[in-house]
């Protein structure tokens, strides 16, 4: 993934990489709606608060609102290189998922412009999505909404289990390589495992 930049009406503004659970929740919702409608145009509501509610997030917190707006800008600007296997083919897809997203520019009266009611996905990204996307349970997504790693793991496992034809052994070292980049050092794999599967505490 590469960070991008957005035009604010007078100059280019460099954006951060999207990070954390919020842009993941947004992209899961956007992907789901695009697959349902088979259209690159995705309705994102009439306001940022409405979109937050659709994602099951708190729309009354100023901190949540500001963070979400920054992360959505980062998501709208970023470029992704996706790698996946189809049969005996290794496929690399270089794309900018969100092709057009008009939002959050100040008007002459120094007030925020209206939230756009839709965004447009790139045709290349949509084609890949329609060909390879698998359904995600909204209840599971809601339950895991607090954790970026949990959302990544669930999305990965949903995809792999959906297409799995025979049992596959996956080690904790392999899981760490896929999801545990934040866990480093000699005890990285053990620390990741403890965080990934914390001890069950009965009620």
């Amino acid at each position: 993934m590469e960070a991008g930049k957005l035009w604010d009406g007078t100059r280019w503004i460099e954006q951060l990489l999207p990070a954390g659970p919020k842009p993941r929740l947004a992209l899961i919702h956007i992907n789901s709606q695009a697959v349902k409608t088979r259209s690159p145009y995705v309705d994102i509501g009439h306001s940022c608060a409405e979109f937050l509610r659709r994602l099951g997030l708190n729309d009354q917190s100023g901190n949540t609102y500001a963070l979400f707006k920054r992360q959505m800008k980062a998501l709208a600007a970023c470029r992704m290189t996706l790698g996946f296997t189809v049969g005996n083919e290794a496929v690399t897809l270089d794309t900018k998922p969100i092709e057009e997203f008009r939002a959050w520019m100040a008007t002459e009266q120094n007030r925020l412009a209206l939230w756009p009611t839709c965004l447009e996905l790139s045709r290349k990204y949509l084609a890949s999505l329609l060909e390879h996307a698998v359904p995600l349970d909204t209840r599971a997504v809601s339950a895991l909404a607090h954790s970026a790693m949990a959302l990544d793991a669930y999305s990965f496992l949903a995809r792999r289990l959906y297409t799995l034809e025979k049992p596959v052994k996956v080690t904790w070292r392999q899981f760490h390589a896929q999801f545990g980049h934040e866990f480093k050092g000699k005890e990285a794999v053990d620390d990741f495992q403890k965080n990934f599967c914390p001890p069950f505490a009965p009620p």
Side-chain angles (χ1 to χ4, degrees), residues 23-201:
R24 286 167 168 82
L25 289 171
L27 192 58
I28 288 172
H29 176 83
I30 290 166
N31 288 346
S32 176
Q33 293 305 307
V35 170
K36 286 179 182 178
T37 62
R38 304 185 71 83
S39 168
Y41 300 99
V42 179
D43 176 18
I44 56 172
H46 295 287
S47 67
C48 182
E50 181 179 335
F51 193 49
L52 281 167
R53 289 194 296 272
R54 290 186 184 184
L55 301 181
L57 299 175
N58 182 6
D59 65 321
Q60 300 299 316
S61 167
N63 290 335
T64 298
Y65 186 95
L67 175 60
F68 181 75
K69 189 163 69 170
R70 287 197 300 272
Q71 291 296 332
M72 280 300 291
K73 285 183 178 181
L75 180 62
C78 79
R79 188 171 194 88
M80 297 181 184
T81 301
L82 308 174
F84 47 89
T85 302
V86 181
N88 293 324
E89 294 183 326
V91 181
T92 300
L93 177 66
D94 186 27
T95 181
K96 187 176 184 299
I98 299 177
E99 188 167 291
E100 184 173 350
F101 185 34
R102 305 184 186 191
W104 305 308
M105 286 181 61
T107 65
E108 292 181 359
Q109 290 77 29
N110 200 32
R111 292 178 298 179
L112 291 180
L114 294 177
W115 171 271
T117 56
C118 77
L119 56 81
E120 181 181 355
L121 300 179
S122 74
R123 268 41 177 195
K124 185 188 297 185
Y125 180 78
L126 177 63
S128 176
L129 196 61
L130 292 176
E131 184 176 358
H132 302 293
V134 298
L136 299 179
D137 191 319
T138 55
R139 295 167 300 178
V141 172
S142 177
L144 302 174
H146 64 286
S147 169
M149 184 173 67
L151 289 170
D152 287 346
Y154 172 59
S155 300
F156 171 81
L157 291 172
R159 170 65 186 166
R160 291 293 288 123
L161 293 173
Y162 191 79
T163 58
L164 204 61
E165 297 180 353
K166 60 182 180 180
V168 175
K169 181 179 180 179
V170 182
T171 67
W172 280 111
R173 190 169 297 279
Q174 290 171 314
F175 263 123
H176 172 260
Q178 183 77 24
F179 304 111
H181 301 295
E182 296 179 3
F183 297 86
K184 304 181 186 299
K186 293 181 179 180
E187 305 298 325
V189 176
D190 290 339
D191 291 341
F192 166 74
Q193 181 178 352
K194 292 174 183 177
N195 189 275
F196 193 88
C197 277
F200 175 70

